[in-house]
Structures are given as structure tokens and as C-alpha cells.
């Protein structure tokens, strides 16, 4: 082995080591942010009491606040953020568009329309005036969840069909198709709201705000299983995604069945995104922002970008939810609005400055 080859191997080892350190550092920050999020709120719980409660030795007040209320919310933020961000990273690869995500391809808007159908048609929403903090609840969450999932998946099916039927539409055309579908679903939601009564209207609006506290432990288990299965598939195809980053022709020359990888990946991404938003409502732009943040540290190597995006998405949603719960406590700001404020400037930046090949 020549001296030059040895030096190249050393540099490559350092290059990989930096990426692994970035992932480990991101995981550590996410863990610390999650512990802080569990302890902060209208009642701040000291770190020592938090640890005691997590190992089953806390007092009854801490047990109720942490185990029954805050911990499910933080776990929901981690799982939903990871799901949307990892799906967004893969969508951006297979569609060859850095603007692709569940919120820009109409999946979130389709889920909102489905939730409106579940609430209006199947009576899933109810107003409870007993308490000011829970004035509006979802009376039949599983009907609403199923309807949101089905309609959220329809948008991805249409996008996939367009990409296969219209071969020359290009990445930019697919985003425009997503915008059109978003407008269509938004119009349908508006009509349902226009013709429904105040009770169901309030439930629809409440669902579209996004609520990480609405998911039960059973819902989180379902989401965790779907996320784990999706991540396994994404990591199994990490080299295919790396090849597709260089273009379809290059990937085909390396033996990648680009059509099959694109169809299956988009199907899994649509299911993952639809499941996530169907449980907690509309969470905008996390799937767009998180992958681009991690690209600053891992580049376009999908061996590190997929798990890194999942970690970054989890961290973003945990931080956003913590801010929403603490800035004007005990009032909880809607998480969907906070993520929209975060993602809209990034979307505009990518659109006017950072988009290539669209």
C-alpha cells in the first residue's frame, strides 16, 4: 500500500469519525432537551425529583405530572419529529427536490381534510365546557385518526402517479402538484367547516392546531413500530439513496432499480407521515427543515443523514413544544403554529437561494 493510499484512508477515517461524532452529539443534546422538557411546565420539577420519578420513587404529584402528562407528550414529540424528518430526507432524495416534505406535498393538508371528514361526517368532535383548559376534545379519536391517515396517504399516491405518468414533469413540477393538492384539500376542509355547526367547527380547528398531548401510549406504540420499520428500510437502502443523489442515470449504471426504490420509498414515507400527523394533528415544515440542518454536519451521505435527520427532527419538535408550554405558562401555544413560524423562512430561503436542479 502506497503512502498516498494510507493518507487517503486516514483522511476518510477522520471524515467518517466527524460524522459519527455529530450524530452522537445530536443524540446527547436531544436526550438532555427531552429531560428538561419533562421537568419544565406550569409546575417545575427539580432534576433530582425527575430522576426519582422516572425510576418509580417519586411522590404522587410528580408521578401524575410526569408519567401521565409530560412524558407521553415528550415521547410524542420525539417520535413525530423523527418520523416527519426521516421521511422528508428520503422524499428529498427520491424526488430529487430539496423542498419535498409531507407539508409541501399535501400529506398534512390531506390529513387535515380527513380529520374534518371524521369529525363532521362521523361525529368525532365534541365541545366540553366543563373546563377552560380542555374546552374542545376529540370524541372519537380513532375514527378521526383513520380518516386523517387515509386522506393523507391519497396525496402521496397522486404524487407518485403523476411522477410515473408524466415522466418529464421534473422535481419542480412535483412540488407544484403538491401545492395544487394542498389547495384542493384546504378548499374541501373550508367547505366542511362552512356547512357544519359550531361544535364540530371548534373540533376541526382544534385538531389542525396540532396537539402532542392528544396521543395515548397505545398510539405512541403504533407510531414507534411504524417508525422503526421505516428506518430499517431506509437504512437498508442507504447506498441506493447515495447513488440516486448523483442522478438517476448514475444510479442505474450502478445497478439500482430507481423506479422500484422511488415507489416503495415514497409509499413508506407517505404511510409514516400520515400516521404521525393523524395522531397529533398538523405539524408543519419539520420534515423540510431538519434534513437541511443535518446536511450541514453529515453532508448527503444517507448512512448518516437518515438517522441524523430523525434526531434533528426529534430535537426541533421537543424544543418547539417546550417553548410553547413554558413561554406563557400555563397557556400552551399550538405546536403547529410554532413549527410553521420556524419552517416558512427556511422554505423561502431554499426556494430563492438554495434550490438547485428544480
Amino acid at each position: 500500500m502506497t503512502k498516498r493510499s494510507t493518507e487517503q484512508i486516514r483522511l476518510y477515517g477522520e471524515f467518517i469519525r466527524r460524522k459519527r461524532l455529530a450524530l452522537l452529539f445530536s443524540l446527547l443534546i436531544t436526550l438532555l432537551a427531552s429531560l428538561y422538557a419533562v421537568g419544565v411546565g406550569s409546575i417545575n420539577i427539580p432534576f433530582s425529583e425527575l430522576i426519582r420519578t422516572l425510576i418509580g420513587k417519586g411522590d404522587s404529584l410528580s408521578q401524575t405530572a410526569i408519567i401521565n402528562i409530560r412524558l407521553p407528550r415528550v415521547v410524542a414529540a420525539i417520535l413525530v419529529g423523527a418520523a416527519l424528518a426521516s421521511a422528508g430526507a428520503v422524499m428529498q432524495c427520491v424526488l430529487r427536490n430539496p423542498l419535498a416534505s409531507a407539508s409541501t406535498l399535501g400529506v398534512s393538508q390531506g390529513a387535515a381534510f380527513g380529520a374534518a371528514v371524521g369529525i363532521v361526517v362521523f361525529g368525532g368532535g365534541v365541545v366540553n365546557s366543563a373546563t377552560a383548559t380542555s374546552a374542545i376534545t376529540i370524541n372519537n379519536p380513532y375514527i378521526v385518526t383513520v380518516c386523517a391517515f387515509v386522506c393523507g396517504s391519497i396525496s402521496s399516491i397522486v404524487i407518485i402517479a403523476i411522477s410515473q405518468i408524466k415522466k418529464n414533469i421534473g422535481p419542480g413540477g412535483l412540488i407544484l402538484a403538491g401545492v395544487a393538492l394542498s389547495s384542493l384539500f384546504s378548499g374541501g376542509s373550508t367547505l366542511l367547516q362552512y356547512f357544519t355547526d359550531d361544535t364540530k367547527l371548534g373540533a376541526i380547528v382544534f385538531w389542525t392546531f396540532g396537539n402532542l398531548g392528544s396521543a395515548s401510549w397505545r398510539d405512541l406504540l403504533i407510531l414507534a413500530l411504524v417508525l422503526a420499520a421505516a428506518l430499517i428500510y431506509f437504512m437498508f437502502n442507504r447506498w441506493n439513496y447515495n447513488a440516486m443523489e448523483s442522478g438517476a442515470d448514475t444510479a442505474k449504471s450502478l445497478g439500482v432499480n430507481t423506479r422500484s426504490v422511488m415507489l416503495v420509498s415514497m409509499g413508506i414515507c407517505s404511510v409514516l407521515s400520515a400516521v404521525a400527523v393523524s395522531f397529533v394533528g398538523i405539524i408543519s415544515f419539520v420534515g423540510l427543515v431538519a434534513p437541511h440542518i443535518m446536511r450541514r454536519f453529515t453532508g448527503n451521505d444517507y448512512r448518516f443523514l437518515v438517522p441524523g435527520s430523525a434526531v434533528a427532527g426529534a430535537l426541533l419538535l421537543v424544543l418547539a413544544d417546550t417553548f410553547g408550554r413554558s413561554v406563557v405558562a400555563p397557556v400552551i401555544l399550538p405546536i403547529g403554529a410554532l413549527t410553521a413560524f420556524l419552517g416558512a423562512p427556511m422554505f423561502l430561503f431554499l426556494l430563492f437561494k438554495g434550490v438547485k436542479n428544480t
Side-chain angles (χ1 to χ4, degrees):
M1 184 178 294
T2 64
K3 182 177 180 180
R4 181 178 179 181
S5 299
T6 304
E7 180 66 15
Q8 288 176 339
I9 293 174
R10 186 187 67 80
L11 292 175
Y12 179 76
E14 291 181 357
F15 179 69
I16 296 299
R17 187 160 50 251
R18 285 197 298 268
K19 294 185 178 184
R20 289 173 176 168
L21 286 175
L23 281 179
L24 290 175
F25 182 75
S26 300
L27 279 171
L28 178 61
I29 294 298
T30 303
L31 176 62
L32 294 176
S34 300
L35 289 174
Y36 175 79
V38 173
V40 74
S42 56
I43 301 176
N44 291 325
I45 299 175
F47 184 76
S48 58
E49 179 63 22
L50 170 62
I51 298 300
R52 285 174 53 84
T53 303
L54 291 177
I55 62 177
K57 297 182 178 180
D59 57 42
S60 58
L61 178 61
S62 298
Q63 288 279 355
T64 301
I66 293 175
I67 303 301
N68 298 334
I69 300 175
R70 295 184 186 174
L71 188 59
R73 189 182 188 95
V74 172
V75 172
I78 292 172
L79 293 177
V80 172
L84 295 176
S86 58
V90 174
M91 285 180 177
Q92 290 164 15
C93 174
V94 299
L95 294 179
R96 296 183 296 112
N97 194 316
L99 297 179
S101 69
S103 54
T104 57
L105 293 178
V107 175
S108 298
Q109 293 77 8
F113 174 73
V117 170
I119 291 169
V120 173
V121 178
F122 298 103
V126 64
V127 172
N128 176 16
S129 59
T131 61
T133 57
S134 60
I136 301 173
T137 59
I138 301 299
N139 187 38
N140 196 335
Y142 291 104
I143 287 293
V144 175
T145 298
V146 169
C147 292
F149 169 74
V150 171
C151 292
S153 300
I154 288 174
S155 181
S156 289
I157 293 173
V158 173
I159 293 294
I160 293 171
I162 291 174
S163 67
Q164 295 302 301
I165 295 172
K166 192 72 173 177
K167 299 292 186 179
N168 61 345
I169 189 173
L174 292 177
I175 292 297
L176 292 177
V179 171
L181 288 171
S182 299
S183 178
L184 179 65
F185 283 125
S186 297
S189 299
T190 301
L191 286 176
L192 287 173
Q193 294 176 40
Y194 183 80
F195 288 107
T196 193
D197 56 44
D198 292 341
T199 299
K200 294 176 180 178
L201 175 61
I204 294 172
V205 173
F206 177 76
W207 192 92
T208 57
F209 283 166
N211 180 19
L212 292 172
S214 63
S216 65
W217 282 113
R218 179 181 297 179
D219 300 335
L220 296 178
L221 176 60
I222 294 173
L223 178 55
L225 292 175
V226 174
L227 174 61
L231 287 176
I232 289 172
Y233 176 83
F234 294 157
M235 294 306 295
F236 182 78
N237 284 275
R238 60 194 182 277
W239 290 109
N240 292 336
Y241 298 144
N242 283 342
M244 293 173 71
E245 273 292 312
S246 301
D249 293 336
T250 301
K252 289 178 181 178
S253 69
L254 294 173
V256 178
N257 187 339
T258 56
R259 176 185 173 88
S260 175
V261 171
M262 192 277 283
L263 290 175
V264 176
S265 296
M266 280 298 297
I268 292 176
C269 288
S270 66
V271 170
L272 183 58
S273 301
V275 169
V277 299
S278 65
F279 283 137
V280 301
I282 301 300
I283 307 294
S284 301
F285 291 114
V286 171
L288 173 68
V289 174
H292 288 289
I293 292 176
M294 285 310 299
R295 281 190 175 92
R296 297 288 183 179
F297 304 99
T298 64
N300 287 325
D301 190 338
Y302 281 81
R303 293 177 296 170
F304 305 99
L305 182 58
V306 169
S309 296
V311 174
L315 178 59
L316 283 176
L317 208 52
V318 168
L319 292 178
D321 183 59
T322 304
F323 176 81
R325 289 189 293 112
S326 59
V327 65
V328 287
V331 177
I332 299 176
L333 298 179
I335 186 65
L338 296 177
T339 56
F341 276 117
L342 171 69
M346 173 66 78
F347 182 88
L348 293 174
F349 172 78
L350 293 172
L351 185 63
F352 291 109
K353 298 291 185 181
V355 175
K356 298 179 181 179
N357 300 324
T358 58

PDB file of all heavy atoms in Angstrom, residues 8 296 305 348:
ATOM      1  N   GLN A   8      -4.992   8.716   2.289  1.00  0.00           N
ATOM      2  CA  GLN A   8      -6.401   8.803   1.905  1.00  0.00           C
ATOM      3  C   GLN A   8      -7.290   8.017   2.860  1.00  0.00           C
ATOM      4  O   GLN A   8      -8.371   8.469   3.225  1.00  0.00           O
ATOM      5  CB  GLN A   8      -6.576   8.297   0.471  1.00  0.00           C
ATOM      6  CG  GLN A   8      -6.014   9.234  -0.587  1.00  0.00           C
ATOM      7  CD  GLN A   8      -6.121   8.650  -1.978  1.00  0.00           C
ATOM      8  OE1 GLN A   8      -6.243   7.445  -2.162  1.00  0.00           O
ATOM      9  NE2 GLN A   8      -6.061   9.530  -2.980  1.00  0.00           N
ATOM     10  N   ARG A 296     -25.673  20.085   7.056  1.00  0.00           N
ATOM     11  CA  ARG A 296     -24.536  20.925   7.413  1.00  0.00           C
ATOM     12  C   ARG A 296     -23.460  20.128   8.140  1.00  0.00           C
ATOM     13  O   ARG A 296     -22.289  20.524   8.161  1.00  0.00           O
ATOM     14  CB  ARG A 296     -25.003  22.089   8.303  1.00  0.00           C
ATOM     15  CG  ARG A 296     -25.987  23.031   7.634  1.00  0.00           C
ATOM     16  CD  ARG A 296     -25.303  23.882   6.597  1.00  0.00           C
ATOM     17  NE  ARG A 296     -26.216  24.836   5.986  1.00  0.00           N
ATOM     18  CZ  ARG A 296     -25.860  25.714   5.058  1.00  0.00           C
ATOM     19  NH1 ARG A 296     -24.595  25.760   4.649  1.00  0.00           N
ATOM     20  NH2 ARG A 296     -26.749  26.539   4.542  1.00  0.00           N
ATOM     21  N   LEU A 305     -27.257  10.735   7.159  1.00  0.00           N
ATOM     22  CA  LEU A 305     -28.296  11.745   7.020  1.00  0.00           C
ATOM     23  C   LEU A 305     -29.655  11.251   7.506  1.00  0.00           C
ATOM     24  O   LEU A 305     -30.403  12.006   8.141  1.00  0.00           O
ATOM     25  CB  LEU A 305     -28.397  12.194   5.553  1.00  0.00           C
ATOM     26  CG  LEU A 305     -29.434  13.292   5.265  1.00  0.00           C
ATOM     27  CD1 LEU A 305     -29.133  14.538   6.093  1.00  0.00           C
ATOM     28  CD2 LEU A 305     -29.448  13.640   3.778  1.00  0.00           C
ATOM     29  N   LEU A 348     -38.659  29.619   2.221  1.00  0.00           N
ATOM     30  CA  LEU A 348     -38.382  30.741   1.326  1.00  0.00           C
ATOM     31  C   LEU A 348     -36.892  30.830   0.993  1.00  0.00           C
ATOM     32  O   LEU A 348     -36.518  31.126  -0.149  1.00  0.00           O
ATOM     33  CB  LEU A 348     -38.865  32.051   1.966  1.00  0.00           C
ATOM     34  CG  LEU A 348     -40.385  32.189   2.121  1.00  0.00           C
ATOM     35  CD1 LEU A 348     -40.729  33.456   2.884  1.00  0.00           C
ATOM     36  CD2 LEU A 348     -41.066  32.207   0.752  1.00  0.00           C
TER      37      LEU A 348
END
